[in-house]
């Protein structure tokens, strides 16, 4: 075999290997993005102190970032589902203390990563979907976490079990984020850039004192801080076709991808 052809074949071999490694690392990075988008169900607050070692990387000085960063850096730690080429994560979004129904998860997103090529799929589940909940009968899916928290403090575990059965998918990881944790994350990232597909106005957006206010978004590219991004994903009574759960789900997925890009 001529030397040049042999060298070219070797280069192609290592290029393919490098591409596969990049895809695999992207999958883990996306997992980190989703994990970071959380307060982990109150087990610890989003801001839990400064990290002493960032390794020179562009990670904020937060121990949360340093902890999850080890998922990428440690090659000998296999994630659940990795062996089967499918890592499933459930993201639960709840209001938190100071809001009506603080443990109702009005945002439920099932995410699945395929480590072999880094592909990520997201499925938003309607909060009003009726499902069978052990001990409670057929109830709205957004009540599962609240029932679990009230029973034994294990709302996300119960939600993972029930929703996993409904989807016929094993859920390997769950993340629970409340409104304040989400807004803090976006602010700590320095804000995000979002393209608003269509302008809308919501005259019934809730305030912290249980009243309402009017918010609006113009079509086009917009910079959003934490408070604005929260309004964008939480709005439920927008004009111009933005009042449905489907429209809200699309906005939520758009924000998750913007966080990944940032």
């Amino acid at each position: 075999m001529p030397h040049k052809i042999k060298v070219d074949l070797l280069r192609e071999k290592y290029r393919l290997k490098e591409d596969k490694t990049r895809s695999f690392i992207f999958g883990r990075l996306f997992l980190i993005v989703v994990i970071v988008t959380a307060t982990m169900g109150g087990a610890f607050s989003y801001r839990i102190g400064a990290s002493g070692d960032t390794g020179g990387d562009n990670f904020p000085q937060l121990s949360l970032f340093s902890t999850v960063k080890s998922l990428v850096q440690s090659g000998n730690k296999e994630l659940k589902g990795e062996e089967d080429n499918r890592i499933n994560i459930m993201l639960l979004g709840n209001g938190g203390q100071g809001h009506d129904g603080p443990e109702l998860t009005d945002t439920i997103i099932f995410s699945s990563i395929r480590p072999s090529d880094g592909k990520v799929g997201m499925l938003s589940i309607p909060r009003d979907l009726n499902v069978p909940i052990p001990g409670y009968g057929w109830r709205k899916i957004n009540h599962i976490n609240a029932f679990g928290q009230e029973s034994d403090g294990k709302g996300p575990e119960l939600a993972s079990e029930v929703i996993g059965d409904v989807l016929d998918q094993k859920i390997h990881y769950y993340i629970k984020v409340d409104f304040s944790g989400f807004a803090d994350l976006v602010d700590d990232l320095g804000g995000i850039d979002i393209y608003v597909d269509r302008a809308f106005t919501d005259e019934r957006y809730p305030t912290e004192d249980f009243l309402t206010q009017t918010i609006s978004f113009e079509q086009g590219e917009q910079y959003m801080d934490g408070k604005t991004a929260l309004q964008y994903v939480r709005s439920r009574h927008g004009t111009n076709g933005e009042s449905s759960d489907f429209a809200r789900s699309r906005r939520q997925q758009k924000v998750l991808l913007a966080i990944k890009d940032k």
Side-chain angles (χ1 to χ4, degrees), residues 82-217:
E82 196 171 312
E83 183 178 350
D84 298 322
N85 197 31
R86 180 69 63 182
I87 303 170
N88 295 330
I89 311 158
M90 184 177 64
L91 174 63
L92 301 172
N94 64 301
Q97 296 303 313
H99 297 273
D100 286 331
E103 293 299 338
L104 297 178
T105 52
D106 286 347
T107 296
I108 305 173
I109 299 178
F110 173 79
S111 299
S112 190
I113 300 170
R114 192 165 60 196
S116 61
D117 58 10
K119 294 286 182 65
V120 178
M122 289 190 289
L123 173 67
S124 295
I125 301 175
R127 64 192 182 94
D128 291 333
L129 181 68
N130 277 303
V131 298
I133 305 175
Y136 297 92
W138 286 80
R139 304 293 291 271
K140 288 183 180 180
I141 198 168
N142 73 330
H143 281 67
I144 304 175
N145 177 73
F147 290 149
Q149 288 297 113
E150 186 179 88
S151 173
D152 56 10
K154 295 183 178 180
E157 289 87 347
L158 179 61
S160 296
E161 179 184 342
V162 174
I163 296 174
D165 288 343
V166 169
L167 298 177
D168 194 24
Q169 292 286 323
K170 181 174 180 58
I171 295 176
H172 303 107
Y173 298 94
Y174 66 82
I175 294 96
K176 185 171 142 188
V177 57
D178 63 18
F179 292 158
S180 61
F182 172 84
D184 286 346
L185 168 69
V186 174
D187 283 337
D188 283 333
L189 289 175
I192 55 176
D193 295 313
I194 295 288
Y195 185 85
V196 178
D197 293 317
R198 50 191 176 187
F200 67 93
T201 297
D202 183 349
E203 297 180 345
R204 297 166 58 190
Y205 187 84
T207 62
E208 293 184 0
D209 54 358
F210 303 102
L211 299 176
T212 59
Q213 61 179 314
T214 298
I215 62 172
S216 60
F217 291 89

Side-chain angles (χ1 to χ4, degrees), residues 29-88:
L29 283 172
F30 188 86
L31 173 60
I32 285 179
V33 168
V34 179
I35 289 177
V36 169
T37 315
T39 55
M40 299 297 282
F44 51 88
S45 62
Y46 170 70
R47 189 181 295 277
I48 55 177
S51 171
D53 178 23
T54 62
D57 296 328
N58 293 321
F59 282 85
Q61 295 278 344
L62 301 173
S63 54
L64 173 58
F65 279 87
S66 297
T67 301
V68 297
K69 186 172 64 169
S70 65
L71 288 173
V72 170
Q73 291 182 333
S74 182
N76 61 350
K77 290 183 180 179
E78 191 171 76
L79 302 177
K80 294 180 181 179
E82 196 171 312
E83 183 178 350
D84 298 322
N85 197 31
R86 180 69 63 182
I87 303 170
N88 295 330

